[in-house]
């Protein structure tokens, strides 16, 4: 080997060694700066190239946006998917309040701490079903509908005691827009909450009718009962869906909304006020009574519903579903179940359970 070639090899090796030394020095400088100011969240320009895992999520600024969601053990994957979609589609300072039952707390904590949701702001609260004693029917036919966590929305100020305004969402939703837009929904003076009217779209009326004629008050309340008659409500008034609520919590407390809802629940156990043609909800009727013509409205794109009803969800075009800010699989068919419309949208936000307890039924069946 010629002396010239040896010199070239030596120069190349020296150059490589020099670059390695520079890289290590830069990384040591980065570690030093982080130790000196660990809360600053500083990311040096070269960090994302040399060590992608060190890249931090941008700090979320602005007022907190309280979002309340429930977490039932058998539907825990739904709660996680909904939270994932809300958080990562927004740059807002979202703070979750997750209400569950005692036997689900540990499972939920593991799911959040072992996945990419570990850095979100949240608190877990438990719901005591005893609060519903003497307020819901004992009829075994309604037992399936009387799930304790469905009534959490009746007591929003209890679970969000420090918030002046908040959002409630069912677990079977996916958010595709910035949740701040929903939070900024105008709740008119004197109103306590905003809901989506079931007649807010021309297409929605046909879809709801196809799902069981549940788009007016007559579908939920028995207008032959004296207690309902004397309220003077019109039976053909358009109903609303309480799966998404934007609430003025200060006004909620001032108007004693939770106590009013309790009153109508208790009265129903004595007088059977709900319509016999009602589908499955026993939480909607008290809300319809208390908020009769006293609620504001949510932008229709912020609550596109009925994706879980037979055939109804399939009537939406793919373009419309993509444009929707919030999708709701209300109805019997859930996107983690065997069959549902637009399951691929839900799948995008589902995070596998690190404990292995929860599996989307269709996916689990296909894996075997």
């Amino acid at each position: 080997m010629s002396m010239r070639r040896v010199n070239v090899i030596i120069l190349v090796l020296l150059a490589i060694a020099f670059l390695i030394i520079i890289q290590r020095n830069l990384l040591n400088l980065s570690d030093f700066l982080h130790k000196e100011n660990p809360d600053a969240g500083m990311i040096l320009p070269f960090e994302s190239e040399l060590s992608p895992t060190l890249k931090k999520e941008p700090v979320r600024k602005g007022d907190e946006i309280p979002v309340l969601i429930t977490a039932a053990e058998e539907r825990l994957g739904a709660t996680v998917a909904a939270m994932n979609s809300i958080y990562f589609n927004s740059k807002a300072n979202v703070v979750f309040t997750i209400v569950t039952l005692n036997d689900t707390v540990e499972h939920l904590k593991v799911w959040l701490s072992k996945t990419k949701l570990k850095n979100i702001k949240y608190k877990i609260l438990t719901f005591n079903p005893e609060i519903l004693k003497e307020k819901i029917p004992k009829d075994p036919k309604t037992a399936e509908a009387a799930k304790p966590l469905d009534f959490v929305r009746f007591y929003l100020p209890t679970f969000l005691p420090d918030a002046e305004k908040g959002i409630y969402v069912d677990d079977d939703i996916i958010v595709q827009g910035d949740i701040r837009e929903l939070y900024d929904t105008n709740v008119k003076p004197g109103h306590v909450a905003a809901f989506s009217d079931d007649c807010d779209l021309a297409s929605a009326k046909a879809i709801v009718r196809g799902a069981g004629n549940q788009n007016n008050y007559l579908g939920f309340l028995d207008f032959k009962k004296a207690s309902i008659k004397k309220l003077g409500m019109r039976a053909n008034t358009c109903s609303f869906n309480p799966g998404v609520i934007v609430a003025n919590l200060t006004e909620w407390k001032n108007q004693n909304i939770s106590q009013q809802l309790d009153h109508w629940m208790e009265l129903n156990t004595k007088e059977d006020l709900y319509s016999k043609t009602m589908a499955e909800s026993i939480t909607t009727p008290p809300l319809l009574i208390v908020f009769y013509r006293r609620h504001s409205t949510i932008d229709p794109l912020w609550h596109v519903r009925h994706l879980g009803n037979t055939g109804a969800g399939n009537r939406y075009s793919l373009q419309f579903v993509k444009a929707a800010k919030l999708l709701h699989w209300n109805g019997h068919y859930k996107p983690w179940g065997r069959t549902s419309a637009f399951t691929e949208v839900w799948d995008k936000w589902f995070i596998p359970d690190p404990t292995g307890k929860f599996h989307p039924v269709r996916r689990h069946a296909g894996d075997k």
Side-chain angles (χ1 to χ4, degrees):
M1 184 181 293
S2 67
M3 184 62 66
R4 183 175 181 181
R5 182 175 293 181
V6 171
N7 289 337
V8 170
I9 293 173
I10 293 173
L11 286 173
V12 170
L13 292 175
L14 287 173
I16 292 172
F18 179 73
L19 289 173
I20 291 173
I21 292 171
I22 290 178
Q23 178 178 344
R24 288 181 176 176
N25 286 338
L26 288 174
L27 288 175
N28 288 335
L29 175 61
S30 167
D31 290 340
F32 173 77
L33 290 174
H34 282 303
K35 289 175 182 177
E36 287 295 303
N37 192 6
D39 297 324
M42 179 182 293
I43 299 294
L44 298 178
F46 51 80
E47 277 191 313
S48 60
E49 296 178 10
L50 299 180
S51 300
T53 55
L54 293 178
K55 192 173 182 179
K56 293 186 178 180
E57 182 185 341
V59 176
R60 293 170 182 257
K61 299 179 180 179
D63 295 338
E64 290 186 350
I65 295 181
V67 176
L68 188 146
I69 190 169
T70 60
E73 179 66 27
E74 69 278 9
R75 298 162 62 111
L76 205 51
T79 301
V80 171
M83 293 172 61
N84 188 25
S85 71
I86 291 170
Y87 188 73
F88 286 100
N89 277 315
S90 174
K91 295 180 181 179
N93 187 12
V94 182
V95 180
F96 293 98
T97 295
I98 313 164
V99 183
T100 188
L101 301 176
N102 285 323
D103 59 0
T104 303
V105 172
E106 291 307 314
H107 188 184
L108 178 59
K109 284 181 177 179
V110 171
W111 205 328
L112 296 178
S113 65
K114 300 292 185 181
T115 64
K116 66 178 182 178
L117 295 181
K118 62 186 177 182
N119 294 322
I120 67 172
K121 293 181 180 179
Y122 70 90
K123 57 184 174 182
I124 300 173
L125 302 177
T126 56
F127 182 71
N128 183 0
E130 284 296 309
I131 196 173
L132 300 175
K133 193 173 182 179
E134 310 298 333
K135 296 176 185 177
I136 55 178
K138 296 180 180 179
D139 184 351
K141 293 180 181 179
T142 61
E144 179 63 22
K147 296 176 180 177
L149 293 176
D150 288 346
F151 296 91
V152 165
R153 74 197 87 189
F154 285 18
Y155 310 102
L156 293 183
T158 301
F159 296 105
L160 299 172
D162 301 320
E164 295 182 0
K165 187 178 185 181
I167 296 171
Y168 166 87
V169 291
D170 278 350
D171 59 4
D172 52 353
I173 63 100
I174 289 294
V175 169
Q176 300 185 131
D178 189 331
I179 198 71
R180 181 175 292 282
E181 291 181 30
L182 180 61
Y183 183 75
D184 288 340
T185 295
N186 180 36
V187 181
K188 296 178 181 178
H191 286 181
V192 173
F195 302 94
S196 293
D197 288 327
D198 283 325
C199 307
D200 58 6
L201 293 171
S203 60
K205 189 177 292 187
I207 289 173
V208 179
R209 282 175 179 161
N213 194 28
Q214 299 267 221
N215 67 321
N216 58 40
Y217 272 51
L218 185 60
F220 292 90
L221 297 165
D222 187 348
F223 279 79
K224 295 178 181 178
K225 296 296 173 69
S227 295
I228 299 298
K229 275 185 178 180
K230 68 182 182 181
L231 292 175
M233 301 185 299
R234 296 185 62 176
N236 64 351
T237 299
C238 184
S239 57
F240 55 78
N241 186 297
V244 177
I245 306 172
V246 181
N248 179 331
L249 298 172
T250 301
E251 201 63 36
W252 189 295
K253 288 182 281 191
N254 290 341
Q255 296 189 28
N256 297 315
I257 296 299
S258 295
Q259 289 85 342
Q260 291 185 51
L261 292 168
D262 279 345
H263 166 74
W264 286 105
M265 282 198 291
E266 291 167 2
L267 195 60
N268 175 62
T269 62
K270 301 171 185 176
E271 300 183 13
D272 197 17
L273 303 177
Y274 302 164
S275 172
K276 298 302 181 184
T277 63
M278 185 183 63
E280 61 179 15
S281 174
I282 64 171
T283 54
T284 300
L287 290 161
L288 292 177
I289 294 172
V290 171
F291 289 105
Y292 178 72
R293 292 187 172 175
R294 292 194 299 132
H295 67 274
S296 300
T297 56
I298 291 173
D299 180 336
L301 286 178
W302 267 105
H303 195 179
V304 173
R305 307 178 293 289
H306 314 301
L307 274 73
N309 286 320
T310 308
N314 290 317
R315 299 184 195 181
Y316 293 127
S317 70
L318 180 59
Q319 292 75 17
F320 179 68
V321 168
K322 286 182 177 180
K325 303 295 184 68
L326 184 150
L327 299 168
H328 188 184
W329 279 265
N330 59 308
H332 290 290
Y333 300 96
K334 304 301 182 185
W336 58 89
R338 293 195 180 278
T339 179
S340 174
F342 300 104
T343 54
E344 67 280 3
V345 177
W346 187 87
D347 283 343
K348 179 182 175 183
W349 298 103
F350 173 66
I351 300 175
D353 182 0
T355 72
K357 295 178 183 177
F358 181 96
H359 295 273
V361 174
R362 58 200 151 67
R363 180 182 294 177
H364 189 44
D367 291 342
K368 288 184 178 182

